């Protein structure tokens, strides 16, 4: 077949090769401590599972409207009022198959071919792919520890050009777990709008913050797009469900795209998600948030003690982004070595962009404290 040119710009995740190798080693009887996986190890809370089963038994197996089940859109709007004190009309909420599709809808609506989309580097790798699919160009803003691995207004101004259509931010970020300060977010919003561009904020790791409550970007303005998901805080990765909040005048366009691209998010998952906001589910999720916090509070000093440089204490997500240059300046080779020789799987920096990837790795604390202790013990012995 004649393959489209854009395929050359699309990279596989190096961590998938590592995961494949880890599975091979496990099949051969080796024990591997997994600190590379970007999803909660907890299963979906039982009340949500029960609601999903009930929905199937009741025959809810048809499409919903493309924008989502009206009851779920209302429930999400109520969540914004409860959790953030921000009033959102349910009509501005669109339910999507994961944040993945929310990001793609937002970009498809805003970006012309040849445009630029600015984003932090390191950042979530799929964002670059979504932009390439539109024959547009991702522009990485190299972010460092001094700004908490989030772009500053000065950096965005420097990277902005006439081709720039949008700025895409994530708070807390993957891979760094750091939050964007509210005043910076406000300034970035104002700058982007002053240039005629749009702001998209990925809040998928909201709910997973430790000791600080992240405020939604919707508190800054209605005139931006927020992406969120049931995957991380709600522990529903496999149900493929997320949502976006868009300005009122964009709902029609997003609805049109959703109708054409995926018809509707999974019906069973939408019914199940109605139970995700119950007191019972939230109590379970808050206990898990506490468990993630304990893991972070163990792993961060332990890795620093081993010689990894982690200059910023991350406020959220379940990642630690570490400078490993004391051990290697080829982080991919280093992660392969750790897997083979120490039995510990982590993610190399190359998966997150082109900003000093060779000297960075990402640790995910999506495994039990006991496993983390064992991982640190193995790393200590090997290093
Ligand atoms: C920053 C970020 N955005 C979006 C996604 C996509 O998540 P999902 O499609 O499962 O909601 C991920 C998944 O890891 C992520 O880390």
């Amino acid at each position: 077949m004649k393959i489209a040119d854009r395929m050359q710009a699309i990279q596989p995740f190096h961590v998938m090769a590592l995961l494949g190798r880890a599975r091979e080693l496990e099949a051969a009887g080796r024990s591997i401590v997994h600190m590379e996986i970007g999803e909660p190890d907890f299963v979906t809370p039982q009340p949500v599972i029960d609601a999903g089963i009930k929905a199937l038994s009741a025959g809810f197996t048809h499409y919903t409207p493309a924008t989502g089940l009206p009851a779920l859109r209302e429930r999400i709007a109520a969540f914004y009022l409860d959790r953030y004190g921000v009033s959102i009309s349910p009509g501005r909420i669109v339910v999507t198959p994961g944040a993945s599709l929310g990001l793609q809808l937002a970009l498809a609506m805003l970006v012309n071919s040849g445009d630029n989309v600015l984003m932090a580097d390191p950042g979530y790798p799929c964002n670059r792919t979504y932009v390439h699919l539109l024959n547009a160009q991702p522009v990485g803003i190299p972010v460092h520890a001094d700004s908490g691995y989030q772009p500053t207004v000065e950096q965005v101004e420097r990277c902005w050009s006439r081709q720039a259509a949008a700025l895409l931010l994530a708070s807390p970020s993957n891979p760094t777990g750091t939050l964007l300060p509210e005043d910076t977010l406000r300034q970035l919003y104002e700058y982007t709008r002053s240039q005629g561009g749009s702001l998209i904020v990925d809040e998928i790791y909201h709910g997973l913050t430790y000791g600080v409550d992240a405020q939604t970007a919707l508190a800054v303005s209605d005139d931006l797009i927020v992406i969120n998901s049931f995957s991380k805080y709600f522990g529903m990765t496999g149900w493929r469900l997320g949502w976006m909040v868009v300005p009122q005048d964009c709902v029609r366009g997003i609805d049109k795209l959703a109708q054409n691209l995926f018809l509707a998010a999974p019906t069973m998952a939408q019914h199940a998600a109605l139970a995700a906001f119950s007191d019972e589910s939230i109590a379970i999720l808050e206990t898990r948030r506490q468990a993630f916090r304990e893991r972070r509070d163990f792993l961060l000093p332990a890795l620093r003690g081993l010689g990894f440089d982690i200059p910023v204490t991350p406020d959220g997500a379940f990642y630690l982004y570490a400078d490993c240059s004391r051990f290697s300046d080829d982080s991919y080779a280093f992660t392969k070595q750790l897997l083979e020789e120490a039995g510990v799987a982590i993610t190399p920096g190359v998966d997150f962009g082109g900003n000093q990837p060779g000297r960075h790795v990402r640790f995910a604390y999506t495994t039990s404290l006991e496993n983390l202790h064992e991982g640190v013990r193995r790393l200590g012995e090997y290093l």
Side-chain angles (χ1 to χ4, degrees), residues 118 152-161 191:
L118 277 55
T152 63
V153 183
E154 294 71 35
Q155 284 179 310
V156 171
E157 282 176 9
R158 269 201 304 278
C159 294
W160 200 268
S161 67
Y191 176 75

Side-chain angles (χ1 to χ4, degrees), residues 289-353:
R289 184 207 302 233
Q290 190 51 35
F292 280 123
R293 183 188 184 145
E294 283 164 20
R295 294 171 182 185
R296 182 201 63 171
D297 292 347
F298 161 70
L299 193 60
L300 179 64
L303 293 177
R304 283 176 174 158
L306 289 177
F308 289 97
D309 186 18
I310 308 172
V312 184
T313 298
D315 310 293
F318 29 61
Y319 306 118
L320 296 174
Y321 188 64
D323 184 325
C324 62
S325 58
R326 178 163 163 201
F327 307 110
S328 170
D329 56 8
D330 179 349
S331 63
Y332 187 40
F334 180 57
T335 54
K336 284 201 279 194
Q337 221 176 347
L338 289 182
L339 176 61
E340 298 291 338
E341 292 175 40
V344 174
I346 58 173
T347 306
V350 63
D351 276 349
F352 305 106

Side-chain angles (χ1 to χ4, degrees), residues 38-39 96-104 123-127 130 169-175 202-205 227-232 236-238 240-243 317-319 352 362:
E39 63 175 326
T96 55
S100 305
L101 266 294
L103 287 160
Q104 290 177 70
Y124 179 55
C126 302
N127 291 332
Y130 304 148
L169 304 169
S171 178
S173 132
N174 176 5
D202 182 346
E203 298 186 346
I204 186 169
Y205 291 102
I227 307 292
N228 209 324
S229 175
F230 288 94
S231 286
K232 312 286 172 159
M236 295 178 64
T237 42
R240 306 310 305 129
L241 199 67
W243 74 86
F318 29 61
Y319 306 118
F352 305 106
R362 187 194 73 179

Side-chain angles (χ1 to χ4, degrees), residues 35-369:
M35 291 199 252
E36 81 283 38
I37 293 173
E39 63 175 326
D41 47 324
F42 302 108
V43 295
T44 303
Q46 196 58 43
V48 179
I49 295 179
D50 291 344
I53 293 170
K54 210 164 136 201
L56 279 183
S57 305
F60 291 126
T61 57
H62 298 96
Y63 296 133
T64 68
T67 48
L69 209 57
L72 183 58
R73 297 169 79 194
E74 277 167 28
R75 199 61 201 80
I76 294 170
F79 181 68
Y80 277 95
L81 198 56
D82 286 357
R83 193 154 272 208
Y84 303 106
V86 175
S87 171
I88 306 283
S89 149
R92 291 176 50 210
I93 293 164
V94 177
V95 180
T96 55
S100 305
L101 266 294
L103 287 160
Q104 290 177 70
L105 291 185
L107 292 165
M109 183 178 67
L110 299 171
V111 177
N112 281 315
S113 94
D115 281 352
N116 287 349
V117 177
L118 277 55
M119 57 189 73
D121 180 354
Y124 179 55
C126 302
N127 291 332
R128 296 191 296 271
T129 302
Y130 304 148
V131 174
H132 284 303
L133 287 180
L134 300 169
N135 295 332
Q137 195 55 40
V139 174
I141 305 168
V143 291
H144 300 281
D146 56 0
S147 63
Y149 297 109
Q150 291 283 1
T152 63
V153 183
E154 294 71 35
Q155 284 179 310
V156 171
E157 282 176 9
R158 269 201 304 278
C159 294
W160 200 268
S161 67
R162 281 196 310 138
Q163 289 76 41
L167 170 64
L168 172 49
L169 304 169
S171 178
S173 132
N174 176 5
T176 65
T178 50
L179 281 168
L180 191 69
E182 211 176 321
D183 54 337
T184 311
L185 177 66
R186 190 175 297 278
Q187 289 166 15
L188 288 172
Y189 164 73
E190 279 161 11
Y191 176 75
T192 310
R193 293 306 285 138
S194 74
Q195 301 301 306
S198 305
L199 181 61
I200 305 169
V201 186
D202 182 346
E203 298 186 346
I204 186 169
Y205 291 102
H206 267 225
L208 293 174
T209 54
Y210 314 114
V212 275
D213 280 324
Q215 177 57 296
T216 172
L218 294 162
V220 167
S221 172
D222 284 341
D223 192 22
L224 47 79
I225 293 182
V226 160
I227 307 292
N228 209 324
S229 175
F230 288 94
S231 286
K232 312 286 172 159
Y233 172 66
F234 295 97
M236 295 178 64
T237 42
W239 299 73
R240 306 310 305 129
L241 199 67
W243 74 86
M244 59 200 298
V245 184
V246 303
Q248 190 62 53
D249 59 356
C250 294
V251 176
R252 183 74 201 110
I254 292 288
D255 184 8
K256 207 161 59 169
L257 282 170
Q259 288 168 20
N260 278 277
L261 294 185
F262 53 82
L263 282 80
T267 301
M268 175 186 62
Q270 294 191 62
H271 282 276
L274 284 169
F277 300 100
S278 69
D279 291 346
E280 205 186 341
S281 297
I282 296 289
I284 296 169
L285 297 171
E286 287 300 310
T287 309
R288 293 173 178 185
R289 184 207 302 233
Q290 190 51 35
F292 280 123
R293 183 188 184 145
E294 283 164 20
R295 294 171 182 185
R296 182 201 63 171
D297 292 347
F298 161 70
L299 193 60
L300 179 64
L303 293 177
R304 283 176 174 158
L306 289 177
F308 289 97
D309 186 18
I310 308 172
V312 184
T313 298
D315 310 293
F318 29 61
Y319 306 118
L320 296 174
Y321 188 64
D323 184 325
C324 62
S325 58
R326 178 163 163 201
F327 307 110
S328 170
D329 56 8
D330 179 349
S331 63
Y332 187 40
F334 180 57
T335 54
K336 284 201 279 194
Q337 221 176 347
L338 289 182
L339 176 61
E340 298 291 338
E341 292 175 40
V344 174
I346 58 173
T347 306
V350 63
D351 276 349
F352 305 106
N355 174 18
Q356 303 186 318
R359 57 189 293 167
H360 288 96
V361 290
R362 187 194 73 179
F363 291 84
Y365 42 95
T366 48
T367 187
S368 67
L369 252 186

